[in-house]
């Protein structure tokens, strides 16, 4: 009983970690631009597939592959922002939504063209005996996924709290005009936010692929779940996104385990709709915050 | 006609209105003045149902209306304009007025889609009435232009026209003269007076332009930091020492139609 | 109806009648049929998004409801197809109400994701509980009316484009009515609409229902035409395809929905040779048209014509 439960819990935490990273990716761009980048899921796919390309196809060493993958994702984020977001002058919201969808389709098309429709996988980062707790098996890769997610969160925390660029990005979020006035290059910050969110997504993809495989069309579902994680704690809050990500991951894996595996995606969607309908400001958010936000 | 009774409203820690009470008499032009941030717009938003007050009542024609949705309040006969013009920019001038006729007409999805005879008749009626209103506010020549292409002065007048199209009993005007030059302001004053005299519509006028206020209003309420500091005829208010200190004393410093938000 | 609309309408009727006569090729007509089915969904989305300003990424859900409900009712319960199609529309309308009552408080991104979530949930339901699961089911009866069964390609072409014309007639009238004006006004300023006494919530729910009913009708027609359906036709990709039709054709003009539907349906046929490229090409078309032809084909065309005419007038 307990063994099975723990097993589901661990697999929930693993996928949950990736949702958390996607959620954080949403937050990064949202905070700097108030855009919700619906191509966020594709960054994760890029991470997984490019990692496979560098490490399995080109047989590059592990760390080199990781570095190349991150650079590739960063470049994709950069191009996306410079080619499609920046040229739009005073776009309305509808256009913004659709342009990120359009880019996500282009990326998906490119991925399909380069990798085909098959799922890809590569070995875990470290070989070795799985850890066993009360009979439940934790693969070493699971520990990697959770560790890497934790590491990303800490790095981002210091980035936004301690570095000039990080603080400047937050300033743009609060008031772009004022930020411009004190000499912050808002356009550059928007660019950085896209690059950063792409990298965060790709790191998630690199880490999760040995466990859950990766294929070209996983992006939209990842985006929906990551978005769900992000709004759970109120868009913009990374702590909320992490909590939300793990919560969705766990609920999903419990549903798959105890009820029916075909319904695991439905769980996240239903949670998403319930939050949007009843508490669009997030479930861990105070009432005053709620009044200040627009939907 | 309209009674404001002990209305209070705060945003987070900031108290925008504190125990506001005053009445608007039927057929009056009631001016509501006060320095920037005094709470005038907030009060209009409460009367028109956009905000819920923390406390207090708004009574319109003997009926409590604070808990009603903006739509319902509009249908009871209170129409308004906005400090930041809220026209339908991508629609033509006449279409803006025609939307104002919405609540007074009734053809629906099905009858419109099938173009039933009564729909055609109603549509002609809307068209005729709207043209009439446009002539009334002297915008007939702009009929088919996009609302966003009008100069600000005409946009403000168009907004008044759209409010009139709902056949209101009471119209709330939020700084209709902001951004207007002297000639336009005079024209605006004439239109407001005409509306009161010919259409017998009661008017609440929020305005910074003191000339306009003193010239056309019957009674003036002065707000300062969310409180009523004076209420009376234009002459009385002008002489009120508290008002002079709080507001009129600075008149020289306040440029015409000045508005911190624009 | 305005003059431009009347002319366009006559051209449409003319083309509908003429095409099967001029080109008897089954292939052309089949592509035409699919264009017509997609046009129905696109017209609904155009009213919803282009006029009323409400985003939806869930039209595939309503399309799927139309296909599955009508198929199951006619195949397993033996209801006449007209009845089962109408029944499916009612189910879609109910789904639209359930979705829109809470969703319409949302705007922009939130509404987009909520509708996307709705579409995906329907997709999962079809996969899990639809007859045949992910592989779908067949033997769906052909469309029949008063004992006359439509089973020829030409018959379907006339049936479907006849309905497109009817739906278009209804929609154009609607757009140019009091209700249509109100929908456009909601798009511009909900604040002002409320102050004018418009019942914004009710209008939004109704326009959502309208778009759902159109999509459901299209779904039923699709099912009774191809007689075999599986969930994959009703995935998120279809919602995005419809979105593309509306944008490419011109979201602010109803005729754009038809033109866009035809273009986006014919395009993959032309691109057949580059099979693997289709997703990429779709994505590029969408991106480029959003960036450089924001207005879409029909509005750009109208501008051109107006300019030409202005030129001609100026010359005289
Ligand atoms: N939605 C809101 N959220 C927070 N504070 C608000 C809101 N609306 C108004 N306020 C605050 O309430 C106070 C009163 O504002 P209000 O707009 O009513 O002033 P006003 O008298 O209309 O000023 P003005 O002459 O500049 O238009 C101001 O301090 C303003 O910042
Ligand atoms: Mg104000």
């Amino acid at each position: 009983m307990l063994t099975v439960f723990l097993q589901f819990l661990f697999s929930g935490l693993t996928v949950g970690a990736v949702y958390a990273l996607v959620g954080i990716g949403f937050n990064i761009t949202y905070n700097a631009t108030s855009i919700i980048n619906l191509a966020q899921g594709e960054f994760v796919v890029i991470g997984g597939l490019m990692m496979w390309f560098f490490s399995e196809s080109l047989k590059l060493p592990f760390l080199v592959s990781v570095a190349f993958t991150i650079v590739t994702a960063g470049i994709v984020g950069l191009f996306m922002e410079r080619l499609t977001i920046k040229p739009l002058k005073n776009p309305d919201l509808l256009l913004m939504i659709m342009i990120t969808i359009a880019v996500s389709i282009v990326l998906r098309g490119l991925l399909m063209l380069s990798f085909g429709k098959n799922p890809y996988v590569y070995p875990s980062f470290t070989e070795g005996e799985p850890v066993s707790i009360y009979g439940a098996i934790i693969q070493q890769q699971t520990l990697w996924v959770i560790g890497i997610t934790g590491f990303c969160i800490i790095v981002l925390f210091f980035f936004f709290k301690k570095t000039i660029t990080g603080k400047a990005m937050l300033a743009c979020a609060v008031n772009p005009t004022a930020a411009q006035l004190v000499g912050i290059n808002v356009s550059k910050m928007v660019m950085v936010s896209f690059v950063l969110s792409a990298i965060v997504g790709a790191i998630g993809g690199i880490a999760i692929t040995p466990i859950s495989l990766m294929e070209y069309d996983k992006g939209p579902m990842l985006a929906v779940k990551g978005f769900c994680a992000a709004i759970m704690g109120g868009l913009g809050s990374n702590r909320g996104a992490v909590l939300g990500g793990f919560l969705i991951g766990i609920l999903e894996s419990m549903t798959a385990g105890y009820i029916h595996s075909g319904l695991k995606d439905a769980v996240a969607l239903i949670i998403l709709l319930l939050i949007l309908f009843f508490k669009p400001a997030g479930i861990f958010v105070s009432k005053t915050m709620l009044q200040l936000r627009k939907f | 006609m309209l009674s404001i009774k002990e209305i209070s409203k705060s945003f987070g820690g900031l108290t925008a209105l504190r125990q506001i009470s005053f009445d608007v008499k039927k057929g009056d032009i009631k001016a509501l003045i006060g320095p920037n941030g005094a709470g005038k717009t907030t009060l209009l938003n409460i009367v028109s149902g956009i905000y819920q007050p923390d406390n207090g009542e708004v009574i319109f024609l003997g009926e409590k209306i604070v808990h009603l949705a903006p739509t319902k309040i509009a249908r009871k006969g209170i129409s308004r304009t906005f400090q930041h013009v809220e026209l339908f920019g991508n629609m033509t001038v006449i279409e803006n007025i025609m939307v104002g006729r919405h609540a007074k007409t009734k053809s629906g999805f099905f009858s419109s889609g099938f173009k039933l005879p009564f729909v055609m008749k109603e549509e002609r009626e809307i068209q005729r009435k709207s043209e009439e209103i446009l002539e009334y506010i002297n915008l007939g020549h702009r009929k088919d232009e996009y609302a966003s292409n009008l100069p600000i002065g005409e946009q403000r007048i168009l907004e008044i026209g759209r409010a009139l199209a709902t056949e209101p009993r009471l119209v709330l005007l939020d700084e209709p003269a902001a951004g207007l030059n002297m000639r336009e302001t005079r024209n605006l004053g004439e239109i407001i007076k005409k509306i009161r005299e010919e259409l017998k519509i009661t008017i609440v006028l929020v305005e910074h332009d003191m000339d306009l206020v003193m010239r056309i209003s019957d009674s003036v309420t002065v707000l300062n930091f969310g409180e009523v500091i004076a209420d009376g005829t234009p002459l009385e208010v002008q002489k009120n020492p508290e008002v002079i200190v709080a507001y009129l004393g600075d008149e020289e410093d306040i440029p015409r139609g000045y508005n911190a938000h624009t | 109806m305005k003059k431009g609309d009347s002319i366009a309408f006559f051209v449409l009727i003319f083309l509908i009648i003429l095409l099967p006569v001029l080109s008897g090729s089954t292939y052309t007509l089949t592509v035409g049929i699919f264009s017509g089915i997609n046009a129905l969904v696109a017209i609904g989305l155009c009213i919803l998004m282009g006029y009323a300003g409400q985003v939806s990424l869930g039209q595939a859900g309503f399309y799927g409801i139309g296909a599955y409900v009508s198929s199951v009712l006619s195949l397993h319960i033996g209801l006449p197809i007209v009845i089962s199609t109408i029944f499916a529309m009612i189910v879609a309308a109910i789904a639209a109400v359930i979705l829109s009552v809470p969703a319409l408080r949302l705007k922009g991104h939130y509404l987009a994701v909520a509708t996307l979530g709705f579409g995906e949930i329907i997709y999962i339901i079809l996969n899990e509980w639809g007859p045949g699961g992910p592989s779908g089911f067949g033997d769906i009866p052909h469309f029949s009316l008063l004992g006359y069964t439509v089973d020829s390609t030409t018959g379907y072409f006339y049936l479907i484009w006849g309905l497109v014309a009817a739906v278009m007639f209804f929609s154009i009238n609607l757009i140019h009515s009091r209700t249509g004006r109100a929908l456009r006004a909601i798009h511009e300023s909900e604040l002002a609409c409320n102050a004018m006494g418009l019942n914004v919530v009710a209008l939004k729910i109704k326009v959502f229902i309208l778009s759902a009913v159109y999509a459901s009708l299209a779904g039923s027609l699709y099912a009774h035409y191809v007689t075999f359906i599986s969930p994959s036709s009703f995935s998120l990709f279809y919602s995005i395809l419809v979105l593309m039709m509306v944008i490419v054709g011109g979201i602010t003009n109803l005729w754009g929905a038809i033109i866009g539907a035809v273009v986006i349906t014919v395009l993959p046929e032309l691109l057949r040779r580059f099979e693997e490229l289709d997703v990429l090409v779709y994505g590029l078309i969408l991106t480029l048209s959003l960036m450089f032809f924001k207005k879409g084909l029909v509005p750009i065309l109208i501008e051109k014509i107006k300019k030409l005419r202005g030129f001609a007038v100026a010359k005289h």
Side-chain angles (χ1 to χ4, degrees):
Chain A
M1 258 315 280
L2 181 66
T3 310
V4 179
F5 177 80
L6 284 176
Q7 197 67 63
F8 293 151
L9 185 69
F10 293 139
S11 73
L13 286 173
T14 320
V15 285
V18 177
Y19 301 155
L21 285 179
V22 179
I24 290 174
F26 275 119
N27 283 340
I28 294 172
T29 28
Y30 178 79
N31 274 341
T33 63
S34 338
I35 297 170
I36 291 171
N37 177 9
L38 291 168
Q40 198 65 45
E42 268 64 34
F43 295 146
V44 179
V45 181
I46 289 175
L49 295 183
M50 289 313 288
M51 182 67 191
W52 176 86
F53 173 70
F54 289 124
S55 66
E56 295 296 302
S57 184
L58 298 186
K59 304 246 181 284
L60 298 178
F62 175 75
L63 284 178
V64 178
S65 305
V66 171
F68 278 10
T69 306
I70 288 178
V71 170
T72 313
I75 291 174
V76 172
L78 179 95
F79 271 95
M80 172 172 183
E81 197 274 336
R82 287 289 120 160
L83 292 181
T84 63
I85 306 292
K86 180 148 185 274
L88 299 176
K89 305 267 182 295
N90 312 317
D92 62 357
L93 206 64
L94 208 62
L95 185 62
M96 271 295 170
I97 296 170
M98 289 183 301
I99 202 101
T100 65
I101 293 176
V103 172
S104 80
I105 300 173
V106 172
L107 291 177
R108 224 174 304 150
L110 284 172
L111 287 167
M112 192 183 92
L113 207 61
S114 340
F115 292 91
K117 295 183 174 176
N118 297 324
Y120 287 80
V121 71
Y122 42 84
S124 304
F125 296 173
T126 48
E127 289 165 32
E129 289 304 300
V131 187
S132 162
I133 299 179
Y134 292 110
I137 311 280
I138 309 179
Q139 302 291 338
Q140 293 215 346
Q141 188 65 22
T142 299
L143 299 176
W144 275 111
V145 173
I146 294 173
I148 287 172
T149 305
F151 178 73
C152 283
I153 292 164
I154 293 167
V155 170
L156 285 172
F157 178 81
F158 280 104
F159 175 73
F160 284 116
K161 280 274 142 65
K162 301 282 177 218
T163 69
I164 303 279
T165 316
K167 285 188 204 166
M169 277 174 71
L170 282 187
C172 295
V174 178
N175 188 338
T177 330
Q180 192 106 46
L181 283 176
V182 298
I184 295 172
N185 185 341
V186 176
S187 156
K188 195 175 121 200
M189 293 305 141
V190 172
M191 184 186 84
V192 172
S193 77
F194 271 84
V195 173
L196 202 59
S197 70
I199 290 174
V200 171
I203 290 175
I206 295 173
I208 194 76
T209 301
I211 298 177
S212 63
L213 317 192
M214 192 55 74
E215 53 205 287
Y216 84 102
D217 65 350
K218 271 204 170 163
M221 245 330 160
L222 282 167
V224 168
K225 290 173 183 171
F227 183 76
C228 185
I231 60 163
M232 252 189 179
L235 257 183
S237 147
N238 284 347
R239 216 171 343 143
V242 173
L243 233 65
F246 283 123
L247 203 63
I248 293 164
I250 292 168
L251 280 172
E252 182 182 310
S253 107
M254 294 292 165
T255 311
Y258 287 114
I259 305 174
H260 176 45
S261 67
L263 292 182
K264 79 182 198 337
D265 289 341
V267 173
L269 291 167
I270 289 168
I271 297 176
L272 175 75
L273 290 185
L274 290 179
I275 296 175
L276 282 174
F277 292 167
F278 299 109
K279 299 220 71 172
I283 47 180
F284 322 120
V285 178
S286 69
K287 218 179 152 194
T288 23
M289 279 287 286
L290 225 157
Q291 285 196 336
L292 296 174
R293 279 177 184 261
K294 285 177 288 197
F295 300 101
Chain B
M1 180 109 203
L2 180 77
S3 297
I4 312 285
K5 287 203 190 324
E6 307 194 335
I7 289 284
S8 297
K9 172 78 187 174
S10 57
F11 297 103
L14 181 128
T15 306
L17 294 173
R18 191 175 292 127
Q19 302 272 327
I20 302 287
S21 301
F22 64 87
D23 292 330
V24 180
K25 278 217 298 285
K26 187 159 189 283
D28 263 10
I29 295 180
K30 169 73 152 187
L32 190 57
I33 64 171
N36 290 125
K40 307 175 297 287
T41 301
T42 306
L43 190 62
L44 291 199
N45 283 342
I46 287 171
V47 173
S48 55
I50 294 169
Y51 291 157
Q52 282 292 312
D54 304 333
N55 270 309
E57 276 297 342
V58 178
I59 295 162
F60 178 63
L61 298 172
E63 194 183 344
K64 294 181 179 180
I65 57 167
V66 269
H67 56 281
L68 295 178
T71 309
K72 293 261 170 60
I73 292 177
R75 285 180 181 234
K76 295 223 174 281
I78 301 182
S79 194
R80 68 170 293 177
T81 67
F82 295 86
Q83 184 172 349
H84 305 277
V85 179
E86 286 281 339
L87 285 171
F88 310 122
N90 288 319
M91 296 168 73
T92 61
V93 167
I94 182 104
E95 280 175 330
N96 268 271
I97 307 272
M98 289 167 93
V99 174
R101 296 297 302 156
H102 191 92
K104 292 283 169 200
T105 44
K106 43 181 186 303
S107 57
F109 266 71
F110 271 100
S111 46
S112 303
F114 292 119
K115 230 176 183 180
L116 301 182
F118 92 86
V119 176
M120 310 281 289
K121 199 167 143 237
E122 192 178 80
E123 184 71 15
R124 276 195 299 273
E125 190 58 30
I126 294 174
Q127 181 92 27
R128 192 186 58 77
K129 194 94 188 184
S130 302
E131 280 169 9
E132 212 175 277
I133 292 170
L134 270 188
E135 292 304 330
Y136 192 75
I137 56 171
N138 307 325
L139 278 182
H141 58 294
R142 296 290 204 180
K143 189 175 157 207
D144 293 318
E145 278 179 62
Y146 284 110
S148 56
N149 292 346
L150 298 189
I152 181 70
E154 290 183 344
Q155 290 196 3
R156 293 212 180 264
I157 305 238
L158 175 57
E159 231 191 356
I160 296 176
R162 186 180 63 181
L164 292 181
T166 65
E167 294 177 25
R169 314 283 292 271
L170 171 70
V171 177
L172 316 172
L173 304 176
D174 199 349
E175 302 198 14
L180 271 59
N181 63 29
M182 224 170 349
R183 194 181 47 79
E184 289 172 326
T185 305
R186 205 166 322 117
N187 176 30
L188 175 79
E190 294 312 311
I191 290 179
I192 296 175
K193 274 204 289 198
K194 191 164 80 165
I195 292 168
R196 189 264 302 266
E197 253 119 58
E198 296 176 10
L199 305 177
K200 310 275 178 263
I201 294 173
T202 311
I203 288 164
V204 173
L205 169 71
V206 170
E207 190 43 71
H208 282 298
D209 187 316
M210 285 310 130
D211 286 347
L212 179 66
V213 168
M214 296 305 159
R215 200 169 67 239
I216 68 173
S217 56
D218 303 298
S219 116
V220 181
T221 298
V222 188
L223 287 186
N224 193 24
F225 290 115
E227 293 185 70
V228 177
I229 57 168
D231 193 357
T233 65
L235 272 177
E236 285 166 9
V237 167
Q238 256 173 325
K239 288 191 191 120
N240 185 315
E242 213 179 329
V243 176
I244 295 169
V245 172
Y247 186 52
L248 295 178
D250 297 341
E251 195 186 15
E252 300 308 311
D253 303 338
I254 304 173
R256 307 179 59 84
Y258 173 78
N259 170 20
H261 292 305
T262 49
Chain C
M1 234 184 251
K2 288 192 183 155
K3 201 169 136 220
D5 285 329
S6 311
I7 296 171
F9 205 78
F10 279 114
V11 173
L12 175 70
I13 304 275
F14 188 70
L15 285 178
I16 292 174
I17 296 172
L18 225 59
L19 195 80
V21 182
L22 288 184
S23 164
S25 110
T26 316
Y27 176 71
T28 314
L29 290 185
T30 308
V31 176
I33 287 170
F34 286 120
S35 303
I37 291 171
N38 292 335
L40 288 172
V41 190
I43 293 169
L45 187 65
C46 181
I47 299 176
L48 184 67
M49 266 175 90
Y51 288 86
Q54 309 299 310
V55 191
S56 170
L57 294 177
Q59 294 309 101
F62 300 120
Y63 184 58
I65 289 177
Y68 269 76
V69 171
S70 182
S71 303
V72 169
L73 289 182
S74 57
L75 182 62
H76 294 297
I77 303 185
L79 281 187
I81 303 221
V82 176
I83 307 287
S84 68
T85 301
I86 291 172
F87 204 91
M89 292 200 238
I90 294 171
V91 175
I94 294 170
V97 174
I98 294 172
L99 171 66
S100 62
V101 167
L104 290 177
R105 287 189 310 150
L106 306 169
K107 292 202 170 66
H109 287 106
Y110 290 85
L111 183 58
V113 179
T115 50
L116 185 153
F118 163 80
E120 287 294 277
I121 286 177
I122 299 287
Y123 178 65
I124 292 171
I125 291 175
L126 297 184
N127 264 299
E128 292 300 317
W129 291 294
S135 31
F137 64 109
D139 292 333
I140 300 165
H142 275 298
F143 201 91
S144 63
L145 183 60
L146 305 171
Y148 174 76
T149 304
V150 186
D151 50 11
S152 71
T153 310
T154 317
Y156 267 103
F157 184 88
Y158 281 129
L159 170 72
I160 282 163
W161 277 96
L163 283 168
V164 173
V167 163
M168 197 62 190
F169 177 77
F170 184 92
S171 305
I172 288 176
N173 286 341
L174 183 70
I175 288 309
H176 294 303
S177 73
R178 161 184 181 271
T179 313
R181 259 193 317 270
L183 293 177
R184 284 160 57 208
I186 290 176
H187 192 171
E188 302 276 326
S189 165
E190 282 186 32
L191 191 62
C193 284
N194 276 317
M196 295 300 110
L198 273 68
N199 192 340
V200 173
V201 177
L203 281 164
K204 281 192 193 175
I205 292 174
K206 284 183 195 163
V207 71
F208 238 94
I209 293 177
L210 186 78
S211 81
V213 166
Y214 285 3
S216 172
L217 172 64
S220 305
L221 291 170
Y222 171 78
H224 293 294
Y225 170 60
V226 297
T227 69
F228 172 88
I229 54 174
S230 70
S232 62
S233 314
F234 311 102
S235 67
L236 174 62
F237 192 70
Y238 186 76
S239 294
I240 292 178
L241 222 55
V242 178
L243 184 71
M244 251 158 76
M245 295 171 194
V246 181
I247 290 171
V248 169
I251 197 162
T252 54
N253 192 307
L254 269 181
W255 294 101
I258 293 188
I259 302 289
V262 173
V263 170
I264 298 296
T265 314
V266 171
L267 197 78
E269 300 300 323
L270 302 179
L271 295 172
R272 267 264 166 86
R273 278 178 297 149
F274 320 99
E275 261 180 72
E276 295 288 292
L277 276 170
D278 60 345
V279 178
L280 180 61
V281 170
Y282 277 134
L284 285 176
I285 291 175
L286 187 57
T287 313
L288 295 177
S289 44
L290 280 171
M291 298 196 57
F292 302 108
F293 307 104
K294 242 174 284 180
K295 292 181 182 157
L297 290 175
V298 171
I300 289 177
L301 203 75
I302 290 176
E303 258 172 41
K304 285 260 149 65
I305 292 175
K306 272 196 183 145
K307 227 185 233 161
L308 274 181
R309 227 201 255 148
F311 198 61
V313 171
K315 249 174 147 181
H316 281 275

